[in-house]
Amino acid sequence: MAPQASEYMLDNDEEMGRLEQQHPVLKDAISGKLILAPIDVSHSGSRILDSGTADGKPPITTLGADHEYFGTEINPTVFPNTRPQNTMYAVQDINVAWPAAWEGTFDLVHQRLTLAAAGPAMENAVMQLCKLVWPGGWIQLIEAEQIVADDDGPAMHQFITLIRDLFGAIGAGASYAAHLGRWTKEQGFVEVHEQLFDMYLGAKHAQKKLGEQGAASTAIATKGLLQFVQGVAYQLTDGDPLVDTNQCQLDASLMQQLGANTIRVYHVDASSNHDGCMSAFSNAGIYLFVDLDTFNTAIDQEAPMFNQTQLNDFQAVLDAFHGYDNLAGVFVGNEVLNFANGSTAAPYIKAAARDVKAYRNSKGYRPIPVGYSAADIPELRPYLQDFLACGGDASQTVDFFSLNAYEWCGTASYTLSGYSQLEANATNYPLPIFFSETGCNTVPPRTFLDQAAIFGSEMVNTWSGAIIYEWIEEANNYGLISYGPEVAATATEGVGGFIRSGTPTPISPDFTNLKNQWATLMPTGISLSAYSVSASSLSTPACPTSTPNGWLVNGNAALPSIGQTGAATATTASATGVASGSAASGTASAPSASATKSTANGGKEVVGMTIALAIVMLSFIVWL
């Protein structure tokens, strides 16, 4: 059978590059030796197994050419095209039974930094490995203890926290290496030697090159994560802000200093070239959420419809941006429902998501998330949140839900602000959920204290971050930066009395306050695979039933077809406030992943990782 696609989170080249960088650092940590088991290799003919061999390079070929080497790996596409002398490769999952003919035949079984993949079955995986050793042979297991020192930097504390969370989420636990000796003894092994070695990554390593290689291997491992959103709303004018490359470069540079990794853009011109700006933001590590609608194509709550013209325009924006790898997602609507009795427009939002996803799939685009940005209407929010996720058919639901909320003002608390109710309404929601706008300015200066709750223990396991409104200073006084002093409203160098381009200058103290908040918060991203495992345990919410003078869509209502028009019902504005009504469910972004997001303000953070090494000998016992 032809080799299957890579089982790694990273592609093959990236994973092999990571292992190549990691190998010399690990070898240095264990005193320059790869095999510490006292195996006698002075005589030819030893059988040596390397489980999890990757590309078949060290350590299995370090004991000389006069032995038989066996390398096993779950992903056969990484095996070398040319097989070294006396070497055989085989596909083997450590959670699957080994060939019976191999049992009791190896002089040395070696495995390193692989066992966590067995999850809760790791003890059984060790037992199966032990069965492969012949009486008198040795097994050597190397695994990491996730330990950090007080003088390790915050980024590496975050990295280790992430690894602990990952291993916990997959059922491995964070301290499994401490059990290696006991597990092997229970299989009848004697002369069990357990050793601990410190492995330094980054600037803490005494040798600069090895420190850089350790940091590089860690950095490579951070790819493939679902990061937390730390963003800013970026709409400099009513036009497209992603067409001026020089301006984007200036803004992206300052956003990096702020600590932002995301921008939200509300209106773009699909016919324009966005390569320069998207590259500028990509180079700065910044992702884009873009609204698909325009002033003319947005779904109207008072006369809801979603017709072919609207869909064509939505498709055009998706066509223009789908190829950028820093496109994080798209919105099919922003605050469409903004009156308490406007819920009859909700099926049109869902229909737009359905049609955009169908188009995305028909074009063979990657599964770009399609979501909605909701107004904070307490009477509607819990119901709308559930309605957009209910029904059990993923082709007809949004991929994420987000909220424009300005409840936390000044020195308000988690409870007084209403955030505790937002959390209650979001717990166990089966889709990612985040704040698509936040940053109340009624009590200046803005301190952004809500960020500590969003990225802290109260909300971090449910909410996936926040986008601050907004980048540019305008008459509404929400800006984090300005491009110059105010000018006359009729001045040609500005729009509405504000200059819209140039060198961005932070507005004090708001810019610094947000920067300081984000710099002290260390939420950990998770891998897509780990998130998928977590999300699979969450159930689809029930479609809400209609309520008198409140939510007006009953159950899993049929979605309108293209061009179908709904009846207007929205007439009364609703004041924002603490959420009420039936509790919806919320996202649970389960901790896990195989890496961490770097702190946005950079820095060379280091960690000392302790390696647990178990070398054991299987005794030869004869019962008389």
Side-chain angles (χ1 to χ4, degrees):
M1 182 174 67
Q4 300 300 303
S6 173
E7 298 287 345
Y8 301 129
M9 185 178 74
L10 304 172
D11 65 36
N12 287 352
D13 290 341
E14 290 173 323
E15 177 64 5
M16 294 308 103
R18 183 187 71 82
L19 294 175
E20 185 174 349
Q21 297 279 8
Q22 180 193 72
H23 174 72
V25 184
L26 181 59
K27 181 179 179 181
D28 175 75
I30 55 177
S31 305
K33 298 180 179 179
L34 293 174
I35 305 299
L36 298 180
I39 178 175
D40 183 4
V41 293
S42 61
H43 303 289
S44 62
S46 294
R47 286 170 56 91
I48 299 168
L49 169 67
D50 186 35
S51 172
T53 194
D55 58 1
K57 292 180 180 178
I60 68 169
T61 58
T62 62
L63 300 180
D66 296 330
H67 306 288
E68 286 187 274
Y69 296 101
F70 296 77
T72 61
E73 173 62 49
I74 194 172
N75 177 14
T77 64
V78 299
F79 292 150
N81 294 326
T82 302
R83 189 177 65 184
Q85 182 180 359
N86 299 333
T87 301
M88 185 187 83
Y89 296 109
V91 177
Q92 180 66 44
D93 184 337
I94 61 173
N95 280 320
V96 176
W98 291 79
W102 288 14
E103 291 189 10
T105 65
F106 288 97
D107 297 87
L108 172 66
V109 170
H110 172 276
Q111 180 177 279
R112 74 181 188 188
L113 304 182
T114 300
L115 191 56
M122 60 175 57
E123 183 176 0
N124 181 69
V126 171
M127 180 180 70
Q128 297 303 322
L129 285 170
C130 288
K131 289 181 179 180
L132 303 178
V133 182
W134 77 285
W138 293 84
I139 184 170
Q140 177 174 304
L141 304 173
I142 300 177
E143 295 294 339
E145 284 279 13
Q146 313 305 331
I147 298 173
V148 290
D150 292 338
D151 60 345
D152 287 329
M156 296 311 295
H157 275 268
Q158 181 184 4
F159 176 75
I160 294 302
T161 298
L162 176 64
I163 296 299
R164 288 172 176 168
D165 289 344
L166 166 64
F167 289 173
I170 64 176
S175 58
Y176 63 90
H179 303 297
L180 296 177
R182 176 175 61 83
W183 289 342
T184 50
K185 287 179 182 178
E186 290 175 352
Q187 297 306 309
F189 282 72
V190 296
E191 294 190 42
V192 176
H193 304 275
E194 295 183 78
Q195 297 173 257
L196 295 177
F197 300 88
D198 289 332
M199 185 171 76
Y200 297 107
L201 310 177
K204 203 171 185 180
H205 202 291
Q207 299 183 46
K208 181 180 179 181
K209 182 177 181 180
L210 288 175
E212 291 174 346
Q213 288 178 305
S217 67
T218 303
I220 294 171
T222 64
K223 299 191 67 174
L225 294 183
L226 297 172
Q227 297 183 353
F228 282 79
V229 174
Q230 291 178 303
V232 292
Y234 185 69
Q235 192 75 43
L236 306 184
T237 69
D238 288 346
D240 189 339
L242 299 178
V243 294
D244 186 338
T245 299
N246 181 65
Q247 188 60 57
C248 290
Q249 289 172 337
L250 291 171
D251 291 331
S253 177
L254 188 58
M255 287 179 192
Q256 271 190 304
Q257 297 178 41
L258 176 65
N261 62 19
T262 306
I263 57 173
R264 178 185 180 181
V265 174
Y266 297 83
H267 301 293
V268 293
D269 179 359
S271 64
S272 296
N273 187 314
H274 304 96
D275 291 352
C277 278
M278 291 302 289
S279 177
F281 286 113
S282 178
N283 291 338
I286 295 173
Y287 291 80
L288 168 70
F289 281 95
V290 63
D291 289 64
L292 296 178
D293 61 16
T294 66
F295 294 109
N296 299 321
T297 60
I299 300 170
D300 184 357
Q301 176 183 233
E302 297 189 23
M305 70 174 179
F306 190 65
N307 60 30
Q308 190 62 50
T309 298
Q310 290 169 297
L311 178 58
N312 289 344
D313 286 347
F314 280 34
Q315 291 171 346
V317 175
L318 191 64
D319 289 340
F321 284 88
H322 78 91
Y324 300 118
D325 59 10
N326 58 328
L327 175 64
V330 297
F331 296 102
V332 294
N334 178 60
E335 297 191 353
V336 174
L337 274 60
N338 47 60
F339 297 119
N341 62 347
S343 57
T344 52
Y348 291 86
I349 300 170
K350 206 168 180 179
R354 172 201 64 196
D355 295 338
V356 169
K357 291 171 71 171
Y359 177 76
R360 175 198 68 191
N361 296 342
S362 72
K363 297 288 287 186
Y365 296 161
R366 64 182 172 88
I368 299 163
V370 177
Y372 175 70
S373 175
D376 190 12
I377 310 295
E379 298 87 345
L380 295 183
R381 183 199 323 113
Y383 302 100
L384 177 62
Q385 191 173 296
D386 276 2
F387 178 73
L388 294 180
C390 78
D393 184 352
S395 69
Q396 297 192 0
T397 63
V398 296
D399 297 318
F400 64 88
F401 182 86
S402 63
L403 183 66
N404 298 342
Y406 295 83
E407 297 183 12
W408 191 311
C409 302
T411 57
S413 67
Y414 174 63
T415 302
L416 292 177
S417 66
Y419 272 40
S420 59
Q421 185 62 45
L422 294 181
E423 169 66 14
N425 286 347
T427 302
N428 294 324
Y429 194 60
L431 302 177
I433 185 170
F434 62 92
F435 290 88
S436 43
E437 286 180 14
T438 190
C440 174
N441 69 350
T442 60
V443 184
R446 294 197 286 177
T447 56
F448 303 102
L449 296 178
D450 66 327
Q451 301 299 290
I454 294 170
F455 296 106
S457 59
E458 294 96 344
M459 306 178 77
V460 73
N461 288 326
T462 302
W463 295 79
S464 297
I467 294 174
I468 304 299
Y469 191 85
E470 65 177 318
W471 181 244
I472 186 174
E473 176 71 341
E474 300 182 274
N476 57 20
N477 293 319
Y478 278 98
L480 294 169
I481 64 93
S482 71
Y483 295 112
E486 289 188 48
V487 297
T490 57
T492 57
E493 66 266 37
V495 176
F498 293 87
I499 298 173
R500 305 287 170 157
S501 62
T503 301
T505 300
I507 290 178
S508 181
D510 289 24
F511 184 96
T512 301
N513 288 344
L514 179 58
K515 177 180 178 179
N516 291 342
Q517 281 289 335
W518 280 349
T520 60
L521 301 171
M522 297 291 170
T524 52
I526 68 171
S527 70
L528 180 59
S529 58
Y531 172 79
S532 299
V533 171
S534 172
S536 66
S537 66
L538 300 174
S539 58
T540 301
C543 293
T545 56
S546 59
T547 59
N549 302 315
W551 181 256
L552 303 178
V553 181
N554 191 41
N556 189 21
L559 301 184
S561 58
I562 286 288
Q564 184 176 338
T565 302
T569 59
T571 55
T572 306
S574 169
T576 58
V578 175
S580 60
S582 66
S585 336
T587 41
S589 175
S592 6
S594 58
T596 184
K597 179 172 64 63
S598 301
T599 51
N601 55 353
K604 292 184 178 179
E605 309 294 2
V606 298
V607 65
M609 182 183 294
T610 300
I611 302 296
L613 175 66
I615 310 171
V616 296
M617 180 180 184
L618 179 59
S619 62
F620 184 29
I621 302 175
V622 179
W623 294 93
L624 299 178

